[in-house]
Amino acid sequence: MSEKTEVIDKKDIVIRFSGDSGDGMQLTGQQFSDAAALFGNGVSTFPDYPAEIRAPQGTVGGVSGFQVHIGNDPIKTPGDFADVLVAMNPAALKANLRWAKKGATIIVNLDAFTDKNIEKAGYKENPLEDAVLQDYNVVPVKITTLTEEALKDSGLDQKSIVKCKNMFALGMIYWMFDRTVDHTRDFINQKFAKKPEIASANVKVLESGFNYASNVHALAVHFNVAPAQIEKGRYRTITGNKATAWGFLAAAEKANLPLFCGSYPITPATDILHELSKHKSLGVKTVQCEDEIAGCASAVGAAFAGDLAVTTTSGPGICLKSEAMNLAVIAELPLVIVNVQRGGPSTGLPTKSEQTDLLQALYGRNGESPMPVIAATSPTNCFDAAYMAAKIALEHMTPVVLLTDAFIANGSAAWKLPNLEEYPAINPPYVTPDMAETWTPFQRNEKTGTRYWAVPGTEGFMHRIGGLEKSNETGVISTEPENHQKMTLLRQAKVDKIADSIPELEVQGDADADLLVVGWGGTYGHLYSAVEHMRKNGKKVALAHFQYINPLPKNTADVLKKYKKIIVAEQNLGQFAGYLRMKVPGLNVSQFNQVKGQPFVTRELVDAFTKLLEE
């Protein structure tokens, strides 16, 4: 290390990689976050994909970003604003400068700042010569030229050479944070094991970027972020989608059932199907169907046949699946429907994140169609949420909606590998041989209201179920008004009784809080961070965050009625706030609502909550 190198100790730091869709920013950011996690830092990431397919190269619409927040404590959010911004072209700078802190270090690929690219990005003049950047430490680097120089004797064609430039930028960032390139070197050699010339080129560029940074005076600063003090165990970084898939794998093993996933590819849920398709050795069956309807209908069939059945989608797919979801409701079959929420309506913002499908999940079907709804709170929590959704579906013979969102589904965090022995058992309500003489398809457990599961092929339990209303007593088709009323009430009561088996609502923060912040789902990290920031500054604030939406925890009303001031913060126009008002009569709540397709900004939450507190 140079004697001139200044070492700055930081509790936490945020880095944002940005460039064109083909610049490899997602890979670059994920590699850095993996290396930070291996070092022992707390990690949270936010991949920010362009919403357009094949947006014109060099335009703001085609910019792809990846933000990573590392720290010496467990990290709850990917951070609000970046301490270091890597911009591979003018469009990346234009799209992401708003997310850089004043005084941030901005590394730009000088080679990309041509007149043509500057114009395509929407600038009238070269931004590197503009006073707008005077408050930042701008480090212009000829990344493309230096990449070409490093690989001039590699024998690769020009296109392949230029593709390696993201590794040069990554090498520079590794030097800035005093990290070795070992993890990424190993990753490259494994990924391109069958193409050694490509592996060698990427490794050489990675090391060239590291060496270049160590010799550039403008980068004569090291940021030191110590490892986090976390619970001992074996950790790995994991995305929310992968954690969701693994949660279903764990539930299937615990229930001793084969796992079936019938789905149609849709952003941002497709990775769950892809991940499950890798695990045939664990008895997983996956079907990539011709459309959303077939995906859900095939899963309903698998549920009838005795599998743990799953179907995955996003909001537009839920619209199409609703009829088959209703079939699972009236047939009372165990099915988990994953909705990875994205920006809408219609195609909307397919790569962005919202919480706008809540009322759709609760009520977006014809008829009285009660369905449990669970919402995951973080990338790592997706594992537990998927497990519990499967447990509820199997034990209560009902379809369950599991809500995640693009932010937590694509984001990643350090996850401690769980001990499955510590997870609750899953015991489906199978028929037993002694029931054969008197059993009918809708015979129920008196305590839970759940009908018994007679898997086809079980001797003595041949039966039919379907989409037409059936008699509660005989299981045959019935149009009797009184029977329909009774079956409607029984299906609702079954879902309501699930409240007996879910955790009560917990409140984090001050017991005598002057303000209760209420949230649900993937906003947990930002709301928790905002509340903790306010508490450190002397405010009495608490957080009640909901994972179980339908039914609500049994103590919900008792908890909420303790507080004079309540604010519900969500990424929609007030869906959960309205739902709470309906479920807790007389409840008076304020609202904080944003629908931007982006995660909350903690500072904005703090400002809004403080304003309400001081009114």
Side-chain angles (χ1 to χ4, degrees), residues 504-520:
E504 291 195 336
L505 179 63
E506 294 184 359
V507 177
Q508 296 174 283
D510 297 304
D512 57 345
D514 298 317
L515 174 67
L516 178 69
V517 177
V518 172
W520 66 276

Side-chain angles (χ1 to χ4, degrees), residues 353-373:
S353 187
E354 291 178 5
Q355 292 183 301
T356 46
D357 295 350
L358 178 61
L359 293 182
Q360 180 189 35
L362 289 166
Y363 304 117
R365 296 169 296 281
N366 68 290
E368 289 290 342
S369 183
M371 196 176 292
V373 177

Side-chain angles (χ1 to χ4, degrees), residues 109-128:
N109 179 13
L110 189 59
D111 291 318
F113 281 72
T114 63
D115 292 342
K116 182 179 179 181
N117 284 342
I118 290 169
E119 182 181 354
K120 288 171 71 175
Y123 286 114
K124 293 182 179 179
E125 298 178 356
N126 189 339
L128 301 182

Side-chain angles (χ1 to χ4, degrees), residues 308-353:
L308 167 54
V310 173
T311 187
T312 59
T313 190
S314 189
I318 293 291
C319 296
L320 296 168
K321 291 181 188 292
S322 62
E323 185 177 2
M325 291 166 64
N326 250 350
L327 174 58
V329 170
I330 197 167
E332 300 190 50
L333 287 168
L335 170 68
V336 181
I337 305 102
V338 182
N339 179 359
V340 185
Q341 298 169 95
R342 71 187 205 186
S346 187
T347 308
L349 302 172
T351 61
K352 308 304 180 181
S353 187

Side-chain angles (χ1 to χ4, degrees), residues 78-94:
D80 289 348
F81 300 99
D83 299 276
V84 178
L85 171 64
V86 176
M88 298 297 282
N89 62 12
L93 180 65
K94 187 176 183 66

Side-chain angles (χ1 to χ4, degrees), residues 5 138 142 160 173 184 190 265 402 414 418 440 458 507:
T5 300
V138 180
K142 293 186 175 182
S160 297
I173 296 298
T184 298
Q190 182 177 4
L402 170 59
T440 59
T458 305
V507 177

Side-chain angles (χ1 to χ4, degrees), residues 281-317:
S281 62
L282 299 178
V284 179
K285 294 167 284 189
T286 55
V287 179
Q288 180 173 313
C289 296
E290 64 270 25
D291 55 38
E292 295 283 5
I293 300 170
C296 192
S298 68
V300 172
F304 177 69
D307 286 5
L308 167 54
V310 173
T311 187
T312 59
T313 190
S314 189

Side-chain angles (χ1 to χ4, degrees), residues 372 392 396 444-450 489-502 550-552 554:
I392 290 172
H396 296 271
R444 299 177 185 276
N445 179 292
E446 292 183 2
K447 182 178 180 181
T448 63
T450 301
L489 293 174
L490 286 171
R491 288 189 289 264
Q492 182 63 57
K494 179 180 69 171
V495 172
D496 292 341
K497 287 179 181 179
I498 293 171
D500 294 335
S501 59
I502 62 175
N550 188 36
L552 290 166
K554 293 176 70 174

